[in-house]
Amino acid sequence: MKTIFKNISVIAFCTITLLSCNTNKQPKNVVDGKKTSHTKISSPNIILFVADDHGLDALGAYGNPVIKTPNLDKLAAEGTKYTNAYCTSASCAASRSVILSGKFGHATGSYGHVHDYHHFSTYDSITSLPVLLSKAGYETARIGKYHVAPEKVYHFNTVLEADPRNTVEMANKCASVLKSDKPFFLYFCTDDPHRGHPFTPEEWDTPNSFGNKKEGYNDVNTVTYNPNDVLVPSFLPNTKQTREEIAQYYQSVSRIDQGFGKLMKMLRAEGKDKNTIVIYISDNGMAFPGAKTSVHEPGIKLPCIIKDPSVKVTGVTSEAMVSWVDLTPTILDMAKVDYNKNKFHGTSFKETVGTEKKGNFTEIYASHTFHEITMYYPMRVVRSGNYKLIWNIAYRLEYPFASDLWASSTWQSIYRTNQPYFGPKKVQDFLFRPEFELYDLDKDPNELNNLANKQEFKNKLENLKEKLKEFQTKTADPWKIMWNHDASLQGAGVNL
């Protein structure tokens, strides 16, 4: 009996000693002083803020002195701004599938738009970013534009509802997520600055609204712009119609900025700003012909700003070439979630945050097949250093228009008046493209001087073709077979 009591006393003493030794340490399953079931206290919160059709042209931090984006400019001042960040397809749904899967759309069945009669959908076998984070103990929530399918592949624990054009309202609806006891992943997706409906060209001389309303939006300060003051990108025609539409586009971007600012204010109020990584990107370039749906630079080269509070160096501009296919592994890396690197086509670029060093990020690839189902025009791209190769696989086809771009007064003002040029390019060259386009972006940032048929660039052309073939093999691209298939009429024995 004495032995039993003695053993109990020893056990009690050891237990009290162990507890007292840990009074200044939180258990590993505690975040912000509250218990969670799966995660470590070191797991950061992550906000991925995705705009819709926002190009590099319309942000103060990227050199536009006209547009008012103070909150996004502040993010750039406090974080890392990437100047060579690329989506893989300048089409909303196709791009978003890559963002959330870490794989190119040609390998996942996400060839184009998911909604209505388009019906492109990701294979059930794909495991997406929100699912992986949820398994690791994260609260996953989304608000705004979704535009991927099926839901069981891109499943979020929480779905919040708000007007996707009113980013201030969207921010307010995220209050419960910001209060989460668990680390959270918030996928915040606006409809701005996408063009507004309807997409019809009847009143072709009227600028599209880009979601702007005369009566404005609740709690949003309407910021308007004079068409005479806007900056017309070099690839667009400098016309009255273009300027009027850009002014509307700017207004929509300024609405994004206010909602972003509201979300950051709420984050600070919760005391979570010191443990939250914030990423701002767009799905593709501005909704103007020559950008959206194109693999030329205005379509795929996009804003990317990352603030990681654990990185002490701020106000950094990085020239590392990063891609939206890299985002899923990067976010998993930031979240300290173990993952199989071989499961993704992209690579984590976490190491580039807070430094001007490019590391191994000197090459990107792009892959576009459809926008709407009526817009079949497969293109594959490699950019290696300052050289860029575009392979227009179905080059015999006329380049197709997205509904909203065709209806734009910017395009219709050229089309209906039979103008020979659209910006610096001939309309004929805009509509009918060569099989290969090779550019030296250092000398030719507007991609006007095609080097593909010049003898002195033959070796460079062949080298980049081989890189494309290797890329297609590694990423299981069905369109690789087209290298051995002559799509021209001459190949069928027809003389042109």
Side-chain angles (χ1 to χ4, degrees):
M1 196 65 158
K2 288 181 180 180
T3 303
I4 294 173
F5 279 116
K6 183 178 180 181
N7 290 340
I8 292 173
S9 298
V10 171
I11 293 169
F13 174 78
C14 292
T15 303
I16 292 168
T17 302
L18 285 171
L19 288 172
S20 65
C21 289
N22 287 280
T23 53
N24 295 321
K25 296 182 180 179
Q26 289 184 320
K28 289 185 177 180
N29 64 337
V30 173
V31 177
D32 290 338
K34 299 178 181 179
K35 290 185 177 181
T36 66
S37 55
H38 303 285
T39 54
K40 299 178 182 180
I41 189 168
S42 56
S43 299
N45 307 306
I46 298 169
I47 295 175
L48 178 57
F49 194 115
V50 185
D52 196 355
D53 302 356
H54 186 191
L56 273 178
D57 58 285
L59 262 170
Y62 282 90
N64 187 324
V66 176
I67 196 162
K68 297 178 177 64
T69 53
N71 295 297
L72 290 169
D73 297 347
K74 181 181 179 184
L75 182 72
E78 296 175 345
T80 301
K81 173 184 67 178
Y82 289 83
T83 55
N84 285 310
Y86 288 83
C87 68
T88 64
S89 175
S91 176
C92 305
S95 180
R96 289 163 191 269
S97 72
V98 175
I99 290 168
L100 293 177
S101 73
K103 289 191 172 186
F104 287 91
H106 60 240
T108 67
S110 309
Y111 305 125
H113 275 3
V114 300
H115 54 53
D116 299 329
Y117 55 87
H118 306 303
H119 200 56
F120 292 113
S121 186
T122 301
Y123 300 140
D124 291 350
S125 58
I126 300 300
T127 305
S128 70
L129 175 63
V131 172
L132 290 167
L133 288 174
S134 180
K135 288 179 179 178
Y138 269 74
E139 167 60 24
T140 62
R142 65 175 175 88
I143 188 168
K145 187 164 185 174
Y146 189 43
H147 218 17
V148 287
E151 195 278 337
K152 64 182 177 181
V153 168
Y154 299 102
H155 177 73
F156 286 79
N157 298 337
T158 301
V159 179
L160 303 168
E161 300 291 340
D163 182 347
R165 291 284 188 181
N166 187 336
T167 50
V168 173
E169 178 185 317
M170 291 173 69
N172 286 327
K173 289 294 180 71
C174 293
S176 60
V177 177
L178 302 185
K179 295 178 186 295
S180 175
D181 292 342
K182 298 195 293 183
F184 61 79
F185 170 59
L186 174 60
Y187 184 56
F188 191 109
C189 301
T190 70
D191 270 6
D192 290 326
H194 195 289
R195 285 176 176 267
H197 289 276
F199 301 147
T200 54
E202 280 74 19
E203 296 183 12
W204 65 272
D205 202 27
T206 301
N208 187 272
S209 68
F210 285 81
N212 304 318
K213 299 189 300 184
K214 290 182 179 179
E215 65 275 18
Y217 291 86
N218 291 336
D219 301 320
V220 177
N221 178 34
T222 300
V223 180
T224 59
Y225 295 87
N226 187 328
N228 294 325
D229 296 334
V230 304
L231 304 182
V232 179
S234 57
F235 70 95
L236 290 175
N238 191 349
T239 63
K240 164 183 171 288
Q241 290 81 8
T242 301
R243 286 183 166 276
E244 287 176 344
E245 292 208 303
I246 290 177
Q248 294 291 320
Y249 164 63
Y250 279 13
Q251 182 176 334
S252 188
V253 170
S254 284
R255 190 163 53 249
I256 292 174
D257 187 78
Q258 288 185 55
F260 178 81
K262 175 65 176 179
L263 186 65
M264 294 301 99
K265 184 178 179 180
M266 293 169 62
L267 188 68
R268 289 191 296 273
E270 289 295 328
K272 302 259 182 102
D273 56 311
K274 298 295 190 294
N275 191 39
T276 302
I277 296 167
V278 180
I279 303 171
Y280 181 86
I281 62 169
S282 171
D283 57 358
N284 51 250
M286 67 190 302
F288 285 76
K292 180 178 178 177
T293 77
S294 168
V295 292
H296 289 121
E297 295 292 278
I300 60 175
K301 190 176 182 180
L302 302 173
C304 178
I305 307 172
I306 300 177
K307 178 184 176 182
D308 182 346
S310 69
V311 176
K312 301 307 178 186
V313 183
T314 60
V316 174
T317 297
S318 172
E319 295 183 357
M321 288 185 205
V322 300
S323 167
W324 288 185
V325 77
D326 300 323
L327 283 169
T328 283
T330 300
I331 290 171
L332 290 172
D333 201 5
M334 289 173 164
K336 303 175 185 178
V337 174
D338 291 333
Y339 64 94
N340 184 345
K341 295 179 181 180
N342 297 324
K343 293 287 186 181
F344 303 109
H345 295 150
T347 304
S348 170
F349 61 88
K350 180 179 181 290
E351 67 185 49
T352 68
V353 178
T355 177
E356 295 180 358
K357 296 178 180 178
K358 296 180 183 179
N360 295 322
F361 293 91
T362 58
E363 202 166 86
I364 62 95
Y365 294 86
S367 171
H368 177 93
T369 307
F370 286 91
H371 181 62
E372 298 157 30
I373 199 168
T374 52
M375 292 182 61
Y376 177 70
Y377 203 85
M379 299 171 283
R380 301 296 184 263
V381 179
V382 56
R383 179 186 171 185
S384 182
N386 57 306
Y387 285 97
K388 177 180 176 183
L389 176 65
I390 301 172
W391 179 28
N392 297 306
I393 298 174
Y395 69 101
R396 286 283 174 174
L397 297 176
E398 180 176 330
Y399 194 81
F401 270 86
S403 301
D404 56 338
L405 305 189
W406 170 257
S408 69
S409 60
T410 296
W411 172 254
Q412 290 293 320
S413 66
I414 302 297
Y415 172 70
R416 295 191 181 223
T417 55
N418 295 313
Q419 297 296 313
Y421 280 86
F422 181 78
K425 288 187 178 181
K426 290 183 179 179
V427 170
Q428 185 73 5
D429 294 338
F430 185 85
L431 296 176
F432 294 97
R433 307 185 178 193
E435 183 176 13
F436 295 103
E437 300 175 61
L438 175 64
Y439 302 108
D440 180 344
L441 294 179
D442 280 354
K443 297 178 181 178
D444 181 25
N446 290 320
E447 298 165 285
L448 298 174
N449 182 24
N450 186 5
L451 307 174
N453 295 320
K454 297 189 176 182
Q455 185 62 31
E456 60 266 39
F457 293 97
K458 181 179 179 180
N459 289 340
K460 175 59 67 175
L461 176 64
E462 293 306 315
N463 173 260
L464 293 179
K465 282 183 180 179
E466 289 305 311
K467 284 182 178 290
L468 271 185
K469 291 175 184 178
E470 290 172 11
F471 156 72
Q472 289 183 286
T473 299
K474 289 179 182 178
T475 60
D477 184 357
W479 276 262
K480 187 185 177 186
I481 195 174
M482 298 306 290
W483 286 103
N484 300 314
H485 176 76
D486 189 347
S488 71
L489 292 177
Q490 289 101 324
V494 178
N495 294 320
L496 295 180

